[in-house]
Amino acid sequence: MKKLKEFFIPFSGLKLGKHEFEYTIDNTFFESFGYGEFNSSSVNLKAVLNKMNTMMELDIKASGSVNVNCDLTSEPYNQEIESDLQLVIKFGEAYNDEDDEILILPHGEYQLNIAQYVYEMLVLAVPQKRVHPGVLDGTLKSEALNKLEELQPKETKENKQDTDPRWDGLKKLLTDK
């Protein structure tokens, strides 16, 4: 994975307070991580870095869509996604990102790369089971669905009123009191 240099935030030169960074993410971003699950993607990302005296807060919000294949029909469709992430950045002896919400940077660090956080946030924003909206409302027409319908077992409804004669003997016991 190459470090995406546009995702470096050089915080050392920033004044105290909030600073906004905006990004437009397409498939080249995901390909740089070796992730090929999306046919295409168009996501707008806004990162707000709040720089304070001893720490920083990073608030990332993303919204857009990714084109994925339906798990049921393999038909491509646009999946809307929205996600956000809050991260507290502190300074310490060594780099530590073991906590999901707290990042510790070594003293003397002057920039932060948010690409990995953005990548994980967006991949996790897509539902695990991807179902084309047309499957849910019945409007999707595809060869796969037509074949499934054609091969579906025919339901035969036979309302048998005949009961097993062994049960009749037991029912008689209930009424013979």
Side-chain angles (χ1 to χ4, degrees), residues 4-25 43-51 56-63 85 89 110-115 118 121:
L4 299 159
K5 57 180 179 276
E6 66 267 27
F7 289 92
F8 275 104
I9 296 177
F11 56 81
S12 66
L14 299 176
K15 295 180 177 138
L16 295 181
K18 292 188 177 182
H19 305 275
E20 282 188 19
F21 302 89
E22 292 192 13
Y23 304 92
T24 302
I25 294 173
V43 180
N44 293 319
L45 187 92
K46 185 177 186 179
V48 178
L49 182 75
N50 187 5
K51 185 175 178 183
M56 298 180 288
E57 291 175 337
L58 181 65
D59 190 16
I60 305 173
K61 291 188 185 314
S63 67
L85 173 85
I89 303 158
Y110 63 94
Q111 65 182 0
L112 164 70
N113 189 336
I114 62 168
V118 170
M121 178 180 94

Side-chain angles (χ1 to χ4, degrees), residues 34 52 55 61 79 81 84 100 106-107 115 123 140 157-158:
M52 299 173 228
M55 60 180 251
K61 291 188 185 314
Q79 173 71 53
I81 58 170
D84 54 41
D100 288 345
H107 294 292
V123 168
L140 179 69
K157 291 187 178 177
E158 296 174 19

Side-chain angles (χ1 to χ4, degrees), residues 37-138:
E37 291 283 312
F38 303 151
N39 301 323
S40 65
S41 53
S42 174
V43 180
N44 293 319
L45 187 92
K46 185 177 186 179
V48 178
L49 182 75
N50 187 5
K51 185 175 178 183
M52 299 173 228
N53 282 325
T54 57
M55 60 180 251
M56 298 180 288
E57 291 175 337
L58 181 65
D59 190 16
I60 305 173
K61 291 188 185 314
S63 67
S65 67
V66 291
N67 189 283
V68 292
N69 291 336
C70 173
D71 289 338
L72 302 175
T73 65
S74 295
E75 293 288 318
Y77 74 99
N78 286 332
Q79 173 71 53
E80 296 295 318
I81 58 170
E82 270 192 43
S83 187
D84 54 41
L85 173 85
Q86 285 80 35
L87 188 65
V88 174
I89 303 158
K90 296 182 175 185
F91 295 94
E93 293 302 311
Y95 180 88
N96 183 339
D97 65 352
E98 290 172 9
D99 190 310
D100 288 345
E101 296 166 4
I102 299 172
L103 170 65
I104 298 173
L105 293 176
H107 294 292
E109 191 65 51
Y110 63 94
Q111 65 182 0
L112 164 70
N113 189 336
I114 62 168
Q116 183 69 36
Y117 290 101
V118 170
Y119 167 74
E120 290 173 9
M121 178 180 94
L122 294 177
V123 168
L124 292 173
V126 178
Q128 276 198 310
K129 186 164 184 165
R130 303 167 186 166
V131 180
H132 193 295
V135 171
L136 300 174
D137 62 19

Side-chain angles (χ1 to χ4, degrees), residues 71-74 135 142-154:
D71 289 338
L72 302 175
T73 65
S74 295
V135 171
S142 75
E143 284 182 38
L145 279 179
N146 292 343
K147 196 68 177 167
L148 281 172
E149 225 169 89
E150 187 183 308
L151 297 173
Q152 187 174 350
K154 306 290 182 259

Side-chain angles (χ1 to χ4, degrees), residues 158-169:
E158 296 174 19
N159 291 339
K160 281 196 202 174
Q161 293 301 329
D162 303 334
T163 56
D164 190 329
R166 292 171 289 185
W167 290 110
D168 293 338

